[in-house]
Amino acid sequence: MDSADCFTVFFTGQIKSVKIPGCRNAYCRYQIVHGEDWQRLQGPEHGLTQLARGGRRQDLVWNFPLEIAYRSTNAHGWPQVVVSVYGFDGWGRDVIRGYGSAHFPTFSGRHNLEAEYADGAYPGCTEGRELTRTISAGYINLEITTLTKDMEQYGYIDGSQQPSSRNAPMR
Amino acid sequence: MAELHVIGELTGASGFRRQSIFCKWYFAAGQAWELLEGQEGGQTQTDRPARGTQSTWAHPIDAHFLCKGLTGWPKIHLQVWKQDKQGRCDICGYGFCHVPTAPGSYEIECPTWRPEGSSKEQWAAWCCGGNPQLVMEEVVHGPEDRFRLQTVPGGTVQLRLGIIMKDFGLHHVQTGSSGL
């Protein structure tokens, strides 16, 4: 098997929608965080969606594209998407609705994610969350397609090398 | 030597009633495993469900292990605690799950339990709080006998884990498929 100096991962998809009970408008700011061994090849690492409006029990739809590619030598620090959802209250003031985060899927294929979403304040970090109190508020729906290159040549098995009939999407 | 990456989230928990809960977690692995990068353990934020009993933590996990032998495959030890309005913390459930042994993506539901205690301890907990706790936490993820322990069920902790393996094939280890 040929070896490779690094592997490349492409993520494409969209921030589809959000469900916030009792909320009728929202926009989302997203940021992609990753480890030191990861180098961005193309695509923006942060962005801002439109303001979506909806009925009291409807999902608020953004349909906002995500396209980014990375090159890395280490699977540690796998990229995560961190989202902050804001809206406008009755007086037109910007208010925070909540925060969410999720790792991008770690193997090739199309995945539907629900980034859990809590009304609190923290980034996509493992440390320093002990003192934070939050209220669970809903889900952000993400649809992500992961494409990997040279993972096997670099020595990694991520599960996508198995026959496709055995792979399970992430729901 | 082979390497194992565990990448994902402690997504949340359900079935713990509508109260503020947090989760302490850590990896428990044998001596043949060494954590190269990432946190060995941690604690989530304290979350209270706005509706129902589904709590959300979305606590990221990203661990990189070095494997020198297959014995002692890593497990994740979980403890769910509740916090009341006075700031007191009380155990709600203990649980563990093995890190999956095949590459792929997994949605894991881990059941939890807590010690019931004697009748006197149960009455005291009902009156004043303070559920019985384990003295030796290794009982949760270890294979030792538990026949002296009486427990009641807690809720369920949900995890979403992606497993990436490196060089296991060079050492003739067959991991199979995710099987989902």
Side-chain angles (χ1 to χ4, degrees):
Chain A
M1 183 188 302
D2 295 334
S3 62
D5 294 334
C6 62
F7 62 91
T8 310
V9 188
F10 300 85
F11 302 111
T12 57
Q14 56 173 300
I15 304 176
K16 287 176 75 170
S17 61
V18 67
K19 176 171 278 189
I20 309 175
C23 177
R24 296 187 180 185
N25 66 76
Y27 64 93
C28 172
R29 182 187 300 274
Y30 79 89
Q31 183 177 0
I32 298 173
V33 298
H34 53 79
E36 293 176 347
D37 297 319
W38 290 73
Q39 179 188 6
R40 181 176 62 93
L41 293 177
Q42 66 176 37
E45 283 190 315
H46 53 85
L48 196 61
T49 70
Q50 75 276 20
L51 176 70
R53 295 187 186 276
R56 187 174 288 275
R57 295 182 182 177
Q58 279 182 315
D59 285 10
L60 304 176
V61 175
W62 291 312
N63 185 222
F64 188 87
L66 286 177
E67 296 172 12
I68 195 159
Y70 286 96
R71 178 170 58 198
S72 179
T73 57
N74 185 1
H76 180 72
W78 193 274
Q80 302 178 59
V81 56
V82 180
V83 295
S84 307
V85 181
Y86 302 86
F88 293 99
D89 64 8
W91 287 270
R93 297 175 300 184
D94 244 320
V95 292
I96 184 69
R97 301 291 188 195
Y99 301 86
S101 67
H103 277 98
F104 283 110
T106 55
F107 71 96
S108 296
R110 185 171 173 172
H111 314 272
N112 285 306
L113 299 179
E114 289 183 344
E116 280 74 16
Y117 164 80
D119 187 6
Y122 61 92
C125 290
T126 304
E127 308 94 317
R129 300 159 74 104
E130 302 87 15
L131 300 180
T132 307
R133 297 190 185 187
T134 61
I135 299 175
S136 303
Y139 293 92
I140 296 174
N141 292 306
L142 306 168
E143 187 181 279
I144 307 290
T145 300
T146 299
L147 192 64
T148 62
K149 180 177 181 292
D150 293 334
M151 289 278 287
E152 199 169 348
Q153 284 76 6
Y154 198 69
Y156 282 120
I157 306 293
D158 60 8
S160 55
Q161 292 84 354
Q162 305 296 340
S164 60
S165 61
R166 296 182 188 176
N167 283 338
M170 283 180 64
R171 78 175 165 132
Chain B
M1 290 182 284
E3 297 172 34
L4 175 71
H5 290 267
V6 184
I7 298 166
E9 284 87 29
L10 249 173
T11 51
S14 62
F16 286 99
R17 302 185 189 172
R18 201 170 152 199
Q19 51 195 2
S20 297
I21 58 171
F22 61 92
C23 181
K24 295 183 183 179
W25 63 274
Y26 62 85
F27 284 104
Q31 293 181 345
W33 295 80
E34 181 185 343
L35 184 67
L36 295 178
E37 295 172 295
Q39 298 294 314
E40 189 175 15
Q43 183 176 315
T44 69
Q45 76 272 21
T46 305
D47 184 81
R48 178 171 64 84
R51 285 175 174 77
T53 64
Q54 178 65 47
S55 290
T56 297
W57 295 315
H59 186 98
I61 294 174
D62 190 343
H64 180 192
F65 286 96
L66 180 69
C67 173
K68 303 171 194 171
L70 295 179
T71 54
W73 193 275
K75 307 169 198 173
I76 302 177
H77 172 112
L78 303 163
Q79 297 178 14
V80 180
W81 293 74
K82 67 179 178 185
Q83 186 178 57
D84 63 14
K85 293 178 182 178
Q86 286 75 36
R88 298 178 303 175
C89 296
D90 205 4
I91 188 71
C92 288
Y94 296 96
F96 93 97
C97 63
H98 275 99
V99 169
T101 57
S105 185
Y106 300 86
E107 301 277 348
I108 299 173
E109 302 246 342
C110 178
T112 63
W113 50 269
R114 64 174 177 80
E116 190 176 32
S118 63
S119 301
K120 184 178 173 185
E121 289 169 332
Q122 293 175 47
W123 185 82
W126 183 80
C127 288
C128 311
N131 290 320
Q133 300 175 23
L134 292 175
V135 173
M136 297 175 61
E137 295 178 352
E138 294 75 21
V139 166
V140 176
H141 59 262
E144 294 80 17
D145 287 341
R146 298 180 182 176
F147 70 97
R148 292 189 183 278
L149 198 56
Q150 284 187 322
T151 64
V152 292
T156 303
V157 177
Q158 292 106 19
L159 301 96
R160 181 193 299 147
L161 297 179
I163 304 299
I164 297 176
M165 296 180 165
K166 186 168 190 276
D167 294 339
F168 276 82
L170 293 180
H171 299 275
H172 310 291
V173 175
Q174 299 297 324
T175 58
S177 66
S178 63
L180 293 176

